[in-house]
């Protein structure tokens, strides 16, 4: 069993996505297994039974659709699968709406990347500790 956190990234900004993937793969036990730039693509990939993932990182504003639609699609995920939001708009209202969708955490792109890294490290440890 792979002890690396299988992570799917939903982010339409190429620069942010590449930097995020590089940071996560370098600093955490994370393997990025795919990405999407649109709601439709993300929903299709995340809901496909053959795709195995432990963590989805979702931006709220996408080229098509919304990250909120992606979050709604993830409501029926396995209890071991985690979903977090990484957004420039991590306001109290957005955090509340994300909580309503069952999101495990919300991180602000501008000042909470270290907290996201810590979250990924903790999730990877939990994955390795599970039977």
């Amino acid at each position: 069993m792979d002890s690396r956190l299988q992570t799917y990234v939903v982010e339409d900004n190429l620069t942010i996505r590449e930097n995020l993937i590089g940071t996560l793969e370098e600093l955490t036990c994370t393997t990025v297994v795919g990405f999407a730039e649109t709601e439709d693509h993300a929903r299709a990939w995340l809901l496909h039974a053959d795709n195995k993932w432990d963590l989805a990182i979702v931006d709220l504003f996408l080229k098509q659709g919304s990250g909120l639609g992606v979050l709604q699609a993830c409501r029926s995920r396995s209890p071991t699968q985690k979903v977090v939001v990484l957004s420039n708009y991590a306001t109290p209202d957005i955090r509340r709406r994300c909580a309503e969708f069952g999101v495990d955490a919300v991180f602000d792109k501008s000042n909470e990347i270290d907290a996201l890294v810590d979250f990924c490290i903790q999730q990877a440890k939990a994955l390795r500790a599970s039977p």
Side-chain angles (χ1 to χ4, degrees), residues 60-72:
L60 296 178
F61 296 95
L62 304 172
K63 283 185 178 180
Q64 171 276 320
S66 165
L68 294 175
V70 177
L71 300 180
Q72 184 176 28

Side-chain angles (χ1 to χ4, degrees), residues 76-130:
S76 62
R77 69 188 184 273
S78 158
T80 61
Q81 293 173 314
K82 304 300 180 190
V83 176
V84 301
V85 168
L86 181 63
S87 176
N88 286 322
Y89 303 95
T91 65
D93 184 51
I94 289 293
R95 290 177 190 273
R96 190 170 36 259
R97 286 203 61 198
C98 290
E100 290 170 3
F101 282 106
V103 169
D104 296 287
V106 177
F107 301 100
D108 191 305
K109 286 181 184 177
S110 62
N111 60 12
E112 294 182 321
I113 297 297
D114 289 343
L116 173 62
V117 167
D118 291 343
F119 180 90
C120 292
I121 290 168
Q122 291 304 315
Q123 293 307 308
K125 285 180 184 177
L127 179 67
R128 286 193 301 269
S130 67

Side-chain angles (χ1 to χ4, degrees), residues 4 7 31 37 39 42-43 47 51-52 58-60 62 70 79 92-94 105 108-109 114 128 130-131:
R4 295 182 65 82
T7 302
T31 298
E37 297 181 334
E39 177 184 338
R43 289 172 64 107
L47 295 173
N51 293 330
K52 304 296 183 221
V58 181
D59 185 18
L60 296 178
L62 304 172
V70 177
D93 184 51
I94 289 293
D108 191 305
K109 286 181 184 177
D114 289 343
R128 286 193 301 269
S130 67

